[in-house]
Amino acid sequence: LSNAFQTTAPMGPSMQQLQTQVPPGVKQQLAERLNTAVKKRHQLVGVLDEITHGEYSDHMQNTFAYARKAGLDDVDWRVPRLMYCKDPKYNHGVPSAVAQDVMRR
């Protein structure tokens, strides 16, 4: 890799550290908010389908047909995930604790 793509910025906490920092009840609140938002989205899509006589859903299916064919239609694109490689030579700049955790997996 060229120096332009390397970073010297410290990496954030590991996923295990983040999970232990979440206060009790926050996961439940987040799950409830997500479920509420999903229900609201389904209601709004239903209204759009009523207004357009089903054209909205047809349009969306046609728009994302390529993603469906590639097997990417059920991928959650909202949260990017940082992936590390198990080969340590590609994890330049990763804190040693995170690198060891990646290699254990």
Side-chain angles (χ1 to χ4, degrees):
L1 291 175
S2 71
N3 289 338
F5 294 107
Q6 293 178 353
T7 180
T8 57
M11 301 300 288
S14 70
M15 184 58 78
Q16 186 176 20
Q17 290 170 335
L18 287 174
Q19 289 175 345
T20 59
Q21 294 174 359
V22 176
V26 172
K27 285 184 181 180
Q28 180 64 30
Q29 290 174 351
L30 184 60
E32 289 171 4
R33 287 182 62 193
L34 179 62
N35 288 336
T36 302
V38 168
K39 287 177 185 176
K40 182 67 173 178
R41 181 187 178 279
H42 285 294
Q43 290 172 352
L44 293 172
V45 168
V47 170
L48 275 173
D49 275 336
E50 287 177 21
I51 294 170
T52 62
H53 304 291
E55 291 293 322
Y56 176 77
S57 289
D58 291 342
H59 170 72
M60 293 306 287
Q61 287 176 353
N62 292 336
T63 301
F64 293 105
Y66 293 110
R68 183 172 290 120
K69 288 177 187 174
L72 301 174
D73 57 333
D74 58 348
V75 173
D76 186 359
W77 297 101
R78 295 175 294 178
V79 182
R81 289 176 173 79
L82 182 60
M83 301 302 283
Y84 298 108
C85 184
K86 289 188 179 195
D87 189 344
K89 73 179 181 180
Y90 296 110
N91 287 334
H92 178 70
V94 175
S96 61
V98 174
Q100 290 173 357
D101 184 42
V102 169
M103 290 178 64
R104 275 192 301 245
R105 293 182 195 175

XYZ file of all heavy atoms in Angstrom:
832
model
N 0.834 -1.186 0.000
C 0.000 0.000 0.000
C 0.871 1.240 0.000
O 1.902 1.302 0.638
C -0.885 0.043 1.243
C -1.997 -0.973 1.342
C -2.663 -0.832 2.694
C -2.982 -0.837 0.257
N 0.405 2.247 -0.669
C 1.153 3.494 -0.658
C 0.903 4.234 0.643
O -0.050 3.967 1.368
C 0.724 4.360 -1.847
O -0.581 4.845 -1.624
N 1.752 5.181 0.943
C 1.614 5.955 2.173
C 0.333 6.768 2.195
O -0.142 7.154 3.248
C 2.820 6.877 2.354
C 4.065 6.080 2.714
O 3.965 4.968 3.219
N 5.223 6.637 2.454
N -0.233 7.059 1.038
C -1.455 7.862 0.975
C -2.631 7.141 1.623
O -3.549 7.776 2.120
C -1.796 8.193 -0.478
N -2.603 5.818 1.651
C -3.723 5.057 2.192
C -3.493 4.598 3.628
O -4.372 4.060 4.248
C -4.026 3.842 1.318
C -4.529 4.228 -0.035
C -3.732 4.091 -1.150
C -5.793 4.762 -0.184
C -4.194 4.451 -2.397
C -6.263 5.130 -1.428
C -5.456 4.978 -2.534
N -2.292 4.800 4.145
C -2.007 4.380 5.511
C -2.405 5.491 6.467
O -2.320 6.669 6.144
C -0.530 4.051 5.674
C -0.127 2.824 4.876
C 1.343 2.535 5.001
O 2.085 3.302 5.578
N 1.767 1.415 4.464
N -2.824 5.113 7.631
C -3.232 6.092 8.619
C -2.481 5.859 9.915
O -2.143 4.731 10.246
C -4.750 6.029 8.879
O -5.062 7.010 9.858
C -5.197 4.672 9.372
N -2.219 6.923 10.608
C -1.576 6.810 11.906
C -2.546 7.155 13.018
O -2.188 7.215 14.169
C -0.354 7.749 11.988
O -0.796 9.082 11.736
C 0.711 7.341 10.997
N -3.801 7.402 12.658
C -4.810 7.729 13.661
C -5.096 6.502 14.514
O -5.115 5.389 14.010
C -6.092 8.203 12.979
N -5.309 6.698 15.817
C -5.611 5.549 16.669
C -6.961 4.943 16.310
O -7.882 5.650 15.933
C -5.633 6.143 18.081
C -5.884 7.599 17.881
C -5.309 7.956 16.533
N -7.041 3.647 16.435
C -8.287 2.947 16.137
C -9.197 3.045 17.349
O -8.750 3.219 18.465
C -8.005 1.482 15.808
C -7.079 1.274 14.628
S -7.695 1.979 13.109
C -8.998 0.851 12.770
N -10.487 2.912 17.106
C -11.467 2.971 18.189
C -11.466 1.692 19.008
O -10.691 0.771 18.752
N -12.340 1.619 19.984
C -12.410 0.425 20.832
C -12.919 -0.778 20.051
O -13.591 -0.641 19.048
C -13.391 0.829 21.930
C -14.180 1.950 21.353
C -13.297 2.634 20.364
N -12.587 -1.953 20.554
C -13.051 -3.178 19.895
C -14.547 -3.353 20.134
O -15.135 -2.717 21.007
C -12.289 -4.394 20.436
O -12.692 -4.652 21.767
N -15.168 -4.242 19.377
C -16.600 -4.479 19.506
C -16.935 -5.002 20.902
O -17.935 -4.620 21.492
C -17.069 -5.474 18.445
C -18.569 -5.679 18.473
S -19.519 -4.168 18.228
C -19.375 -3.995 16.474
N -16.069 -5.840 21.456
C -16.313 -6.379 22.796
C -16.302 -5.246 23.828
O -17.127 -5.218 24.727
C -15.273 -7.433 23.129
C -15.539 -8.151 24.446
C -14.534 -9.240 24.693
O -13.454 -9.259 24.117
N -14.874 -10.173 25.555
N -15.374 -4.297 23.686
C -15.325 -3.164 24.608
C -16.575 -2.308 24.472
O -17.112 -1.831 25.469
C -14.087 -2.317 24.343
C -12.797 -2.996 24.728
C -11.582 -2.233 24.233
O -11.663 -1.484 23.263
N -10.463 -2.426 24.889
N -17.054 -2.110 23.246
C -18.255 -1.315 23.041
C -19.472 -1.977 23.660
O -20.331 -1.314 24.238
C -18.498 -1.080 21.556
C -17.574 -0.095 20.872
C -17.852 -0.078 19.376
C -17.730 1.292 21.453
N -19.567 -3.291 23.548
C -20.721 -3.999 24.086
C -20.761 -3.927 25.607
O -21.822 -3.889 26.200
C -20.722 -5.448 23.624
C -21.032 -5.587 22.157
C -20.915 -7.016 21.662
O -20.348 -7.866 22.332
N -21.437 -7.273 20.484
N -19.610 -3.896 26.250
C -19.601 -3.811 27.712
C -19.878 -2.398 28.192
O -20.239 -2.200 29.340
C -18.254 -4.295 28.283
O -17.197 -3.495 27.742
C -18.022 -5.754 27.971
N -19.738 -1.378 27.339
C -19.968 0.003 27.731
C -21.431 0.424 27.587
O -21.788 1.497 28.040
C -19.093 0.938 26.897
C -17.622 0.779 27.150
C -16.792 1.628 26.206
O -17.326 2.321 25.360
N -15.483 1.575 26.356
N -22.256 -0.380 26.967
C -23.650 -0.017 26.737
C -24.413 -0.162 28.050
O -24.448 -1.234 28.636
C -24.291 -0.908 25.651
C -25.765 -0.587 25.490
C -23.548 -0.738 24.342
N -25.031 0.942 28.527
C -25.787 0.864 29.789
C -26.991 -0.064 29.645
O -27.540 -0.220 28.552
C -26.260 2.302 30.022
C -25.427 3.149 29.134
C -24.987 2.288 27.996
N -27.411 -0.660 30.749
C -28.587 -1.540 30.704
C -29.822 -0.769 30.237
O -30.022 0.376 30.565
C -28.752 -1.989 32.165
C -27.465 -1.670 32.836
C -26.830 -0.570 32.067
N -30.631 -1.409 29.453
C -31.859 -0.786 28.968
C -31.706 -0.056 27.654
O -32.687 0.160 26.952
N -30.490 0.332 27.294
C -30.284 1.079 26.055
C -30.529 0.183 24.846
O -31.130 0.607 23.861
C -28.872 1.700 26.010
C -28.573 2.303 24.660
C -28.731 2.740 27.104
N -30.089 -1.069 24.931
C -30.326 -1.995 23.822
C -31.821 -2.180 23.588
O -32.278 -2.202 22.454
C -29.675 -3.348 24.096
C -28.185 -3.370 23.938
C -27.665 -4.775 24.142
C -26.167 -4.838 24.011
N -25.649 -6.197 24.196
N -32.574 -2.309 24.675
C -34.019 -2.484 24.567
C -34.659 -1.256 23.944
O -35.525 -1.371 23.081
C -34.618 -2.767 25.949
C -36.114 -2.965 25.942
C -36.539 -4.188 25.152
O -35.810 -5.172 25.071
N -37.703 -4.133 24.559
N -34.244 -0.054 24.378
C -34.791 1.183 23.824
C -34.471 1.295 22.340
O -35.316 1.698 21.541
C -34.230 2.402 24.558
C -34.731 2.548 25.968
C -34.039 3.694 26.688
O -33.084 4.269 26.198
N -34.535 4.014 27.881
N -33.249 0.942 21.978
C -32.846 1.001 20.577
C -33.650 0.020 19.735
O -34.103 0.361 18.637
C -31.352 0.728 20.445
C -30.757 0.848 19.061
C -30.957 2.256 18.514
C -29.290 0.493 19.084
N -33.858 -1.186 20.250
C -34.639 -2.181 19.518
C -36.077 -1.706 19.333
O -36.661 -1.881 18.255
C -34.608 -3.515 20.265
N -36.643 -1.085 20.371
C -38.009 -0.574 20.263
C -38.096 0.552 19.235
O -39.042 0.598 18.436
C -38.489 -0.082 21.627
C -38.760 -1.198 22.612
C -39.038 -0.696 24.023
O -39.102 0.536 24.236
O -39.193 -1.547 24.921
N -37.128 1.449 19.232
C -37.122 2.544 18.249
C -36.989 2.014 16.836
O -37.655 2.492 15.907
C -35.974 3.516 18.541
C -36.209 4.376 19.762
C -35.098 5.343 20.001
N -34.982 6.267 18.871
C -33.944 7.061 18.689
N -32.936 7.045 19.536
N -33.909 7.879 17.656
N -36.128 1.000 16.652
C -35.958 0.402 15.330
C -37.243 -0.263 14.871
O -37.675 -0.082 13.731
C -34.812 -0.604 15.345
C -34.548 -1.326 14.033
C -34.149 -0.347 12.941
C -33.480 -2.380 14.217
N -37.886 -1.016 15.751
C -39.138 -1.684 15.392
C -40.221 -0.667 15.048
O -40.991 -0.865 14.103
C -39.601 -2.599 16.521
C -38.740 -3.833 16.651
O -38.100 -4.256 15.699
N -38.700 -4.403 17.835
N -40.282 0.425 15.802
C -41.260 1.476 15.516
C -41.002 2.086 14.146
O -41.933 2.310 13.365
C -41.200 2.571 16.602
O -41.447 1.963 17.871
C -42.208 3.658 16.347
N -39.725 2.347 13.846
C -39.372 2.937 12.552
C -39.687 1.986 11.402
O -40.168 2.414 10.343
C -37.896 3.317 12.531
N -39.431 0.695 11.596
C -39.722 -0.296 10.548
C -41.225 -0.381 10.295
O -41.678 -0.419 9.141
C -39.127 -1.669 10.919
C -39.656 -2.765 10.018
C -37.611 -1.622 10.855
N -42.013 -0.378 11.373
C -43.472 -0.413 11.212
C -43.972 0.827 10.484
O -44.833 0.741 9.599
C -44.153 -0.521 12.581
C -44.012 -1.875 13.218
C -44.655 -1.895 14.597
C -44.407 -3.208 15.292
N -44.934 -3.218 16.661
N -43.424 1.998 10.841
C -43.822 3.248 10.200
C -43.464 3.221 8.712
O -44.247 3.645 7.862
C -43.141 4.434 10.895
C -43.516 5.769 10.338
C -44.971 6.070 10.613
C -45.288 7.494 10.204
N -46.689 7.820 10.398
N -42.296 2.684 8.393
C -41.883 2.593 6.986
C -42.842 1.707 6.206
O -43.244 2.035 5.091
C -40.470 2.051 6.879
C -39.992 1.972 5.433
C -38.652 1.280 5.317
N -38.268 1.178 3.942
C -38.717 0.246 3.098
N -39.584 -0.645 3.496
N -38.296 0.222 1.847
N -43.210 0.571 6.788
C -44.154 -0.331 6.113
C -45.500 0.348 5.889
O -46.126 0.178 4.831
C -44.334 -1.633 6.898
C -43.177 -2.564 6.783
N -42.810 -3.172 5.602
C -42.275 -2.999 7.700
C -41.757 -3.924 5.796
N -41.405 -3.830 7.062
N -45.945 1.125 6.868
C -47.198 1.863 6.703
C -47.085 2.876 5.564
O -47.996 2.990 4.736
C -47.563 2.593 8.002
C -47.986 1.689 9.126
C -48.153 2.452 10.438
O -47.803 3.626 10.538
N -48.694 1.765 11.441
N -45.970 3.609 5.522
C -45.793 4.623 4.484
C -45.685 3.997 3.093
O -46.216 4.538 2.117
C -44.570 5.483 4.789
C -44.682 6.365 6.033
C -43.344 7.026 6.333
C -45.770 7.398 5.853
N -44.993 2.862 2.998
C -44.906 2.167 1.712
C -46.294 1.694 1.288
O -46.659 1.767 0.111
C -43.897 0.997 1.780
C -44.010 0.095 0.561
C -42.479 1.522 1.910
N -47.080 1.224 2.255
C -48.449 0.820 1.946
C -49.275 1.972 1.406
O -50.041 1.811 0.445
N -49.120 3.153 2.000
C -49.835 4.338 1.522
C -49.369 4.694 0.109
O -50.194 4.996 -0.768
C -49.622 5.534 2.482
C -50.146 6.818 1.884
C -50.287 5.253 3.816
N -48.053 4.641 -0.128
C -47.543 4.923 -1.470
C -48.096 3.934 -2.492
O -48.434 4.317 -3.615
C -46.012 4.865 -1.484
C -45.287 6.121 -1.074
C -43.789 5.863 -0.979
C -45.559 7.244 -2.044
N -48.175 2.670 -2.111
C -48.729 1.670 -3.023
C -50.204 1.933 -3.318
O -50.658 1.740 -4.442
C -48.550 0.261 -2.463
C -47.187 -0.319 -2.788
O -46.571 0.126 -3.774
O -46.739 -1.219 -2.057
N -50.948 2.370 -2.304
C -52.360 2.702 -2.537
C -52.497 3.877 -3.491
O -53.330 3.858 -4.400
C -53.048 3.034 -1.207
C -53.306 1.839 -0.330
C -53.933 2.233 0.999
O -54.524 3.329 1.084
O -53.818 1.443 1.950
N -51.672 4.891 -3.272
C -51.741 6.092 -4.112
C -51.337 5.792 -5.545
O -51.954 6.273 -6.496
C -50.852 7.212 -3.532
C -51.410 7.688 -2.191
C -50.726 8.374 -4.498
C -50.474 8.625 -1.440
N -50.312 4.960 -5.722
C -49.778 4.686 -7.060
C -50.311 3.391 -7.649
O -49.819 2.949 -8.696
C -48.243 4.630 -7.019
O -47.834 3.563 -6.161
C -47.643 5.940 -6.551
N -51.273 2.765 -6.983
C -51.853 1.502 -7.450
C -50.790 0.427 -7.625
O -50.782 -0.311 -8.627
C -52.634 1.701 -8.754
C -53.701 2.738 -8.638
N -54.835 2.562 -7.888
C -53.779 4.001 -9.156
C -55.587 3.655 -7.962
N -54.972 4.541 -8.714
N -49.867 0.329 -6.664
C -48.836 -0.706 -6.677
C -47.615 -0.379 -7.510
O -46.674 -1.172 -7.553
N -47.611 0.771 -8.188
C -46.476 1.124 -9.046
C -45.201 1.364 -8.243
O -44.103 1.092 -8.727
C -46.796 2.368 -9.873
C -47.842 2.127 -10.935
C -47.344 1.199 -12.021
O -46.163 1.287 -12.398
O -48.142 0.370 -12.487
N -45.325 1.873 -7.014
C -44.134 2.153 -6.204
C -43.359 0.870 -5.914
O -42.155 0.802 -6.123
C -44.506 2.860 -4.897
C -43.305 3.085 -4.004
C -42.403 4.100 -4.281
C -43.059 2.268 -2.906
C -41.301 4.307 -3.490
C -41.954 2.466 -2.105
C -41.080 3.485 -2.396
O -39.973 3.678 -1.608
N -44.049 -0.154 -5.451
C -43.365 -1.418 -5.145
C -42.784 -2.053 -6.403
O -41.677 -2.597 -6.372
C -44.321 -2.398 -4.464
O -44.602 -1.973 -3.158
N -43.520 -1.980 -7.507
C -42.991 -2.508 -8.771
C -41.720 -1.769 -9.174
O -40.736 -2.384 -9.594
C -44.031 -2.389 -9.890
C -45.207 -3.324 -9.690
O -45.064 -4.290 -8.908
O -46.259 -3.079 -10.305
N -41.743 -0.461 -9.040
C -40.570 0.350 -9.392
C -39.376 -0.016 -8.508
O -38.258 -0.174 -8.985
C -40.881 1.842 -9.259
C -39.675 2.715 -9.371
N -39.036 2.923 -10.566
C -38.998 3.418 -8.437
C -37.990 3.722 -10.363
N -37.959 4.038 -9.075
N -39.617 -0.164 -7.208
C -38.527 -0.492 -6.284
C -37.969 -1.883 -6.571
O -36.758 -2.088 -6.510
C -39.011 -0.382 -4.839
C -39.353 1.037 -4.414
S -38.022 2.224 -4.691
C -36.894 1.740 -3.413
N -38.834 -2.834 -6.888
C -38.353 -4.178 -7.203
C -37.508 -4.159 -8.468
O -36.479 -4.825 -8.545
C -39.521 -5.142 -7.349
C -40.157 -5.489 -6.031
C -41.386 -6.368 -6.190
O -41.836 -6.621 -7.300
N -41.930 -6.819 -5.074
N -37.931 -3.399 -9.474
C -37.155 -3.301 -10.706
C -35.836 -2.576 -10.480
O -34.817 -2.922 -11.064
C -37.960 -2.599 -11.801
C -39.131 -3.424 -12.263
O -39.134 -4.646 -12.131
N -40.142 -2.757 -12.793
N -35.871 -1.557 -9.637
C -34.659 -0.786 -9.362
C -33.609 -1.647 -8.682
O -32.423 -1.558 -8.993
C -34.985 0.425 -8.467
O -35.936 1.235 -9.142
C -33.754 1.234 -8.153
N -34.034 -2.483 -7.763
C -33.087 -3.285 -6.998
C -32.996 -4.729 -7.485
O -32.508 -5.594 -6.770
C -33.453 -3.237 -5.519
C -33.268 -1.872 -4.939
C -34.371 -1.077 -4.666
C -32.011 -1.362 -4.695
C -34.215 0.192 -4.148
C -31.843 -0.095 -4.177
C -32.950 0.691 -3.905
N -33.442 -4.995 -8.708
C -33.373 -6.352 -9.249
C -31.930 -6.827 -9.378
O -31.638 -7.994 -9.140
C -34.076 -6.425 -10.608
N -31.017 -5.917 -9.737
C -29.615 -6.305 -9.881
C -29.022 -6.690 -8.533
O -28.248 -7.637 -8.433
C -28.803 -5.180 -10.517
C -29.198 -4.921 -11.941
C -29.860 -3.762 -12.310
C -28.927 -5.858 -12.934
C -30.235 -3.527 -13.624
C -29.301 -5.647 -14.248
C -29.949 -4.473 -14.582
O -30.322 -4.261 -15.881
N -29.384 -5.964 -7.504
C -28.904 -6.307 -6.166
C -29.450 -7.667 -5.742
O -28.735 -8.470 -5.129
C -29.310 -5.234 -5.159
N -30.687 -7.948 -6.077
C -31.287 -9.236 -5.733
C -30.561 -10.364 -6.468
O -30.262 -11.407 -5.884
C -32.776 -9.242 -6.071
C -33.468 -10.531 -5.667
C -34.971 -10.463 -5.828
N -35.525 -9.554 -4.827
C -36.211 -8.452 -5.116
N -36.448 -8.126 -6.361
N -36.667 -7.677 -4.164
N -30.273 -10.155 -7.747
C -29.572 -11.183 -8.522
C -28.176 -11.438 -7.971
O -27.678 -12.554 -8.011
C -29.475 -10.766 -9.989
C -30.799 -10.843 -10.720
C -30.669 -10.357 -12.144
C -32.027 -10.285 -12.817
N -31.949 -9.687 -14.148
N -27.544 -10.388 -7.452
C -26.195 -10.522 -6.890
C -26.226 -11.026 -5.448
O -25.179 -11.219 -4.837
C -25.479 -9.179 -6.959
N -27.421 -11.195 -4.889
C -27.538 -11.666 -3.523
C -27.289 -10.594 -2.483
O -26.949 -10.880 -1.348
N -27.448 -9.324 -2.877
C -27.163 -8.215 -1.970
C -28.413 -7.497 -1.495
O -28.324 -6.472 -0.831
C -26.251 -7.197 -2.673
C -24.900 -7.725 -3.147
C -24.181 -6.667 -3.950
C -24.072 -8.178 -1.977
N -29.587 -8.013 -1.812
C -30.817 -7.295 -1.486
C -31.143 -7.300 0.000
O -31.855 -6.431 0.482
C -32.001 -7.849 -2.276
C -32.219 -9.328 -2.065
O -31.248 -10.031 -1.757
O -33.364 -9.774 -2.207
N -30.621 -8.250 0.759
C -30.913 -8.260 2.189
C -29.728 -7.823 3.046
O -29.684 -8.058 4.238
C -31.404 -9.634 2.627
C -30.406 -10.740 2.335
O -29.437 -10.492 1.609
O -30.606 -11.856 2.835
N -28.754 -7.146 2.425
C -27.615 -6.612 3.160
C -28.022 -5.292 3.809
O -28.635 -4.444 3.176
C -26.405 -6.387 2.219
C -25.278 -5.685 2.946
C -25.932 -7.705 1.646
N -27.694 -5.138 5.072
C -27.999 -3.906 5.797
C -26.865 -2.923 5.546
O -25.778 -3.050 6.101
C -28.142 -4.201 7.289
C -28.602 -3.002 8.077
O -28.787 -1.929 7.474
O -28.783 -3.135 9.289
N -27.107 -1.924 4.696
C -26.078 -0.975 4.298
C -26.012 0.231 5.227
O -25.212 1.126 5.028
C -26.330 -0.498 2.866
C -26.253 -1.602 1.879
C -27.301 -2.255 1.307
C -25.076 -2.214 1.349
N -26.851 -3.234 0.456
C -25.490 -3.228 0.456
C -23.717 -2.012 1.540
C -24.593 -4.024 -0.226
C -22.823 -2.807 0.859
C -23.256 -3.798 -0.009
N -26.850 0.261 6.266
C -26.889 1.445 7.133
C -25.640 1.591 7.981
O -25.214 2.685 8.289
C -28.097 1.390 8.058
C -29.412 1.464 7.325
C -30.529 1.276 8.277
N -30.465 -0.098 8.799
C -31.266 -0.599 9.697
N -32.211 0.131 10.214
N -31.151 -1.843 10.098
N -25.039 0.485 8.405
C -23.908 0.548 9.314
C -22.679 -0.047 8.646
O -22.604 -1.254 8.458
C -24.204 -0.228 10.616
C -23.040 -0.115 11.584
C -25.487 0.274 11.247
N -21.718 0.797 8.256
C -20.499 0.238 7.677
C -19.705 -0.497 8.751
O -19.655 -0.082 9.901
C -19.743 1.467 7.172
C -20.281 2.601 7.940
C -21.683 2.249 8.331
N -19.109 -1.577 8.385
C -18.318 -2.354 9.324
C -16.863 -2.336 8.886
O -16.559 -2.533 7.722
C -18.834 -3.787 9.383
C -20.175 -3.863 10.073
C -20.727 -5.270 10.040
N -21.921 -5.389 10.823
C -23.123 -4.996 10.427
N -23.271 -4.438 9.255
N -24.161 -5.145 11.197
N -16.000 -2.129 9.840
C -14.575 -2.117 9.566
C -14.066 -3.543 9.672
O -14.241 -4.195 10.701
C -13.857 -1.208 10.563
C -12.367 -1.056 10.382
C -12.071 -0.465 8.998
C -11.809 -0.161 11.456
N -13.498 -4.036 8.607
C -13.020 -5.407 8.587
C -11.499 -5.416 8.727
O -10.814 -4.592 8.139
C -13.411 -6.080 7.270
C -14.906 -6.109 7.027
S -15.826 -6.942 8.315
C -15.480 -8.618 7.901
N -11.014 -6.325 9.500
C -9.584 -6.520 9.658
C -9.213 -7.855 9.028
O -10.020 -8.772 8.962
C -9.190 -6.537 11.134
C -9.476 -5.243 11.850
C -10.514 -5.155 12.764
C -8.720 -4.114 11.607
C -10.780 -3.979 13.429
C -8.984 -2.928 12.261
C -10.002 -2.871 13.170
O -10.266 -1.709 13.817
N -7.979 -7.955 8.599
C -7.490 -9.186 7.983
C -6.779 -10.023 9.036
O -6.119 -9.486 9.928
C -6.541 -8.832 6.840
S -5.966 -10.279 5.947
N -6.889 -11.338 8.941
C -6.215 -12.202 9.908
C -4.705 -12.229 9.669
O -3.956 -12.627 10.546
C -6.789 -13.609 9.851
C -8.182 -13.680 10.416
C -8.668 -15.094 10.536
C -10.065 -15.068 11.138
N -10.478 -16.366 11.598
N -4.272 -11.823 8.498
C -2.840 -11.751 8.216
C -2.326 -10.422 8.759
O -2.707 -9.358 8.272
C -2.598 -11.846 6.712
C -1.129 -12.007 6.372
O -0.278 -11.736 7.253
O -0.822 -12.386 5.239
N -1.451 -10.443 9.772
C -1.050 -9.201 10.434
C -0.323 -8.201 9.528
O -0.330 -7.012 9.819
C -0.145 -9.664 11.565
C 0.204 -11.074 11.285
C -0.830 -11.622 10.352
N 0.231 -8.643 8.424
C 0.956 -7.694 7.574
C 0.016 -6.686 6.905
O 0.450 -5.631 6.468
C 1.791 -8.425 6.519
C 1.011 -9.056 5.398
C 1.955 -9.724 4.425
C 1.189 -10.348 3.275
N 2.079 -11.001 2.333
N -1.296 -6.974 6.865
C -2.253 -6.049 6.267
C -2.936 -5.153 7.292
O -3.758 -4.322 6.951
C -3.326 -6.821 5.489
C -2.762 -7.576 4.323
C -2.705 -8.956 4.334
C -2.270 -6.896 3.209
C -2.178 -9.653 3.260
C -1.747 -7.580 2.132
C -1.696 -8.958 2.176
O -1.181 -9.641 1.113
N -2.631 -5.340 8.570
C -3.256 -4.547 9.620
C -2.279 -3.533 10.200
O -2.198 -3.346 11.410
C -3.788 -5.470 10.723
C -5.014 -6.219 10.290
O -5.738 -5.764 9.421
N -5.248 -7.370 10.872
N -1.565 -2.855 9.329
C -0.602 -1.846 9.770
C -1.334 -0.708 10.482
O -2.315 -0.179 9.978
C 0.168 -1.284 8.559
C 1.126 -0.213 8.930
N 2.269 -0.481 9.636
C 1.090 1.126 8.726
C 2.918 0.652 9.842
N 2.223 1.642 9.293
N -0.878 -0.365 11.669
C -1.490 0.732 12.402
C -2.613 0.320 13.333
O -3.165 1.155 14.034
N -2.951 -0.961 13.356
C -4.019 -1.445 14.238
C -3.409 -1.680 15.622
O -2.340 -2.266 15.734
C -4.623 -2.761 13.696
C -5.636 -3.329 14.651
C -5.228 -2.522 12.336
N -4.059 -1.212 16.685
C -3.537 -1.469 18.035
C -3.342 -2.964 18.275
O -4.113 -3.792 17.786
C -4.620 -0.910 18.957
C -5.368 0.077 18.129
C -5.296 -0.432 16.729
N -2.338 -3.295 19.050
C -1.989 -4.710 19.240
C -3.130 -5.510 19.865
O -3.339 -6.668 19.512
C -0.720 -4.842 20.078
O -0.920 -4.264 21.359
N -3.888 -4.915 20.775
C -4.997 -5.650 21.397
C -6.046 -6.025 20.359
O -6.579 -7.139 20.369
C -5.625 -4.818 22.509
N -6.365 -5.110 19.448
C -7.347 -5.379 18.398
C -6.796 -6.412 17.425
O -7.486 -7.342 17.029
C -7.742 -4.086 17.662
C -8.644 -4.387 16.478
C -8.411 -3.107 18.619
N -5.516 -6.282 17.062
C -4.906 -7.231 16.133
C -4.908 -8.642 16.715
O -5.191 -9.613 16.007
C -3.477 -6.800 15.807
N -4.621 -8.778 18.010
C -4.638 -10.102 18.633
C -6.052 -10.676 18.673
O -6.257 -11.861 18.455
C -4.057 -10.027 20.052
C -2.565 -9.769 20.054
C -2.035 -9.520 21.450
O -2.782 -9.486 22.424
N -0.727 -9.326 21.540
N -7.030 -9.813 18.937
C -8.427 -10.254 18.954
C -8.841 -10.752 17.568
O -9.514 -11.768 17.448
C -9.335 -9.093 19.393
C -10.782 -9.500 19.520
O -11.037 -10.603 20.058
O -11.650 -8.732 19.079
N -8.409 -10.053 16.521
C -8.741 -10.457 15.142
C -8.094 -11.788 14.823
O -8.725 -12.667 14.230
C -8.282 -9.362 14.146
C -8.356 -9.874 12.717
C -9.115 -8.111 14.302
N -6.851 -11.962 15.209
C -6.158 -13.206 14.897
C -6.751 -14.395 15.648
O -6.715 -15.515 15.157
C -4.671 -13.061 15.191
C -3.981 -12.125 14.203
S -2.257 -11.870 14.538
C -1.613 -13.488 14.294
N -7.314 -14.171 16.854
C -7.932 -15.264 17.610
C -9.194 -15.769 16.923
O -9.564 -16.920 17.030
C -8.289 -14.806 19.017
C -7.148 -14.914 19.984
C -7.700 -14.716 21.372
N -8.337 -13.420 21.453
C -7.934 -12.421 22.216
N -6.907 -12.575 22.991
N -8.582 -11.275 22.230
N -9.903 -14.871 16.241
C -11.145 -15.264 15.587
C -10.794 -16.050 14.396
O -11.063 -16.878 13.835
C -11.941 -14.028 15.149
C -12.423 -13.255 16.315
C -13.225 -12.085 15.847
N -13.392 -11.141 16.932
C -13.964 -9.997 16.786
N -14.454 -9.615 15.641
N -14.100 -9.184 17.788
